[in-house]
């Protein structure tokens, strides 16, 4: 994997250490303990990409070149770093911690992503409710391989928007508990990572549907979508749900009061 860390720009961090440790754990701990947040963060992102590639080999029988893994790690880290730097010193209104119904004539779609580590899948779910808090429709999807969290959350939102479009829904508020995804949509930042490509696709969809709005909420206010991601593997890999799923009935009832 020499080419991966060189492509990620981490040669000066890794190569002086590579022969000083007999096990991987000690090697990783040394970097985390001795380096600053910036370099340790870059290294962590590279490890995440290597782990993602390992899962794709196991579950999808696909393998990326080491150089591509390193470049992807660099672009993912850069996107995160630029987001963090831009947000410093910015204070926003606190996001909601309880689910609230939309105004009359508007739908609300809650979105979430999650993982089934036992099956090795990345899961996504979304649920649309009306202003009375009543179930309208939902959608679920899962894929083999563990996607990076930001990519999984962005894909969940994109699929929810595409679902609303196909169902010809107007005036929809999409709520996600991924602050990184929501902020990326609201900014003009352009990147080359997989995450940036999904965000660009979302922006293009929103451009043609001005009555769609994306908002950030706390996890506590996103329990229905979160519960769906836990049950996703009960359905086919892409599935639209027209009847209220039993797994979210109690959550729907609780949030109507």
């Amino acid at each position: 994997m020499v080419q991966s860390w060189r492509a990620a720009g981490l040669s000066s961090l890794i190569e002086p250490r590579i022969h000083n440790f007999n096990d991987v754990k000690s090697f990783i701990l040394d970097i985390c303990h001795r380096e600053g947040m910036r370099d340790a963060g870059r290294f962590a992102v590279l490890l995440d990409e290597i782990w993602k590639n390992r899962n794709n080999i196991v579950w999808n029988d696909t393998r990326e070149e080491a150089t591509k893994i390193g470049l992807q790690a660099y672009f993912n880290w850069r996107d995160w770093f630029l987001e963090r730097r831009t947000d410093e010193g910015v204070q926003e209104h606190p996001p909601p911690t309880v689910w609230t119904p939309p105004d009359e004539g508007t739908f609300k779609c809650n979105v979430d992503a999650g993982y089934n580590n036992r099956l090795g899948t990345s899961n996504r779910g979304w649920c649309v409710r009306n202003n009375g808090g009543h179930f309208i429709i939902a959608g679920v999807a899962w894929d083999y391989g563990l996607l990076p969290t930001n990519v999984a959350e962005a894909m969940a939102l994109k699929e929810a928007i595409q679902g609303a479009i196909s169902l010809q829904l107007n005036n929809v508020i999409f709520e996600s508990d991924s602050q990184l995804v929501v902020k990326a949509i609201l900014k003009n930042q352009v990147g080359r990572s997989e995450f940036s490509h999904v965000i660009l696709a979302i922006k293009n969809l929103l451009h043609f549907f001005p009555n769609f709005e994306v908002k950030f909420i706390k996890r506590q206010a996103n329990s229905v979508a979160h519960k769906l991601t836990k049950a996703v593997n009960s359905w086919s890999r892409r599935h639209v749900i027209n009847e209220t799923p039993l797994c979210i009935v109690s959550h729907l009832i609780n949030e109507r009061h």
Side-chain angles (χ1 to χ4, degrees):
M1 299 298 287
V2 174
Q3 294 303 320
S4 65
W5 72 61
R6 288 179 177 171
L10 293 172
S11 295
S12 61
L13 186 73
I14 294 176
E15 291 180 3
R17 289 180 163 89
I18 200 68
H19 299 297
N20 296 335
F21 297 92
N22 295 322
D23 61 277
V24 175
K25 182 179 179 180
S26 298
F27 176 75
I28 293 173
L29 289 175
D30 185 72
I31 290 178
C32 293
H33 289 164
R34 294 179 180 274
E35 302 298 332
M37 288 183 61
R38 177 168 175 162
D39 286 340
R42 292 174 65 190
F43 179 66
V45 173
L46 176 61
L47 291 181
D48 184 65
E49 284 298 317
I50 293 173
W51 181 251
K52 175 185 170 184
N53 184 59
R54 176 263 179 199
N55 285 325
N56 281 332
I57 293 171
V58 172
W59 296 106
N60 300 325
D61 195 28
T62 60
R63 182 192 301 268
E64 295 287 359
E65 294 180 359
T67 299
K68 185 174 180 180
I69 293 172
L71 289 172
Q72 188 67 49
Y74 170 75
F75 290 127
N76 283 347
W77 170 81
R78 189 187 66 175
D79 285 352
W80 173 85
F81 179 76
L82 291 174
E83 281 285 338
R84 186 171 179 270
R85 186 177 64 181
T86 303
D87 292 339
E88 288 179 353
V90 178
Q91 186 172 358
E92 300 177 344
H93 297 294
T97 56
V98 295
W99 188 86
T100 56
D103 294 334
E104 187 174 355
T106 301
F107 296 99
K108 180 169 282 190
C109 179
N110 288 84
V111 181
D112 200 12
Y115 303 97
N116 185 322
N117 290 318
R118 181 177 62 85
L119 297 177
T121 62
S122 296
N123 300 344
R124 302 178 291 283
W126 51 271
C127 179
V128 178
R129 283 173 276 183
N130 62 15
N131 65 297
H134 298 286
F135 176 87
I136 300 298
I137 200 163
V140 293
W142 57 268
D143 294 300
Y144 286 114
L146 304 181
L147 293 169
T149 303
N150 60 345
V151 176
E153 294 282 1
M155 287 183 64
L157 178 58
K158 179 172 76 72
E159 291 171 7
I161 294 172
Q162 290 171 330
I165 293 170
S166 66
L167 295 165
Q168 299 183 339
L169 298 179
N170 295 314
N171 300 314
V172 184
I173 297 171
F174 297 89
E175 292 186 334
S176 167
D177 57 28
S178 173
Q179 190 172 27
L180 180 62
V181 168
V182 175
K183 286 184 176 180
I185 292 167
L186 298 177
K187 292 175 181 173
N188 294 322
Q189 176 186 325
V190 177
R192 294 175 56 186
S193 67
E194 184 179 5
F195 175 68
S196 294
H197 286 303
V198 181
I199 293 297
L200 180 60
I202 293 173
K203 288 182 176 182
N204 288 336
L205 291 172
L206 295 175
H207 176 75
F208 291 103
F209 293 89
N211 291 330
F212 287 178
E213 184 180 2
V214 176
K215 291 186 175 181
F216 168 65
I217 55 169
K218 291 289 190 179
R219 170 58 63 88
Q220 303 95 298
N222 206 31
S223 62
V224 167
H226 181 65
K227 188 65 176 179
L228 276 175
T229 66
K230 296 295 184 183
V232 159
N233 301 105
S234 301
W235 291 283
S236 57
R237 290 181 69 170
R238 297 287 186 282
H239 190 73
V240 174
I241 307 167
N242 294 298
E243 300 292 333
T244 307
L246 291 177
C247 65
I248 63 171
V249 168
S250 62
H251 294 275
L252 293 172
I253 293 173
N254 290 337
E255 292 182 343
R256 282 206 295 267
H257 297 288

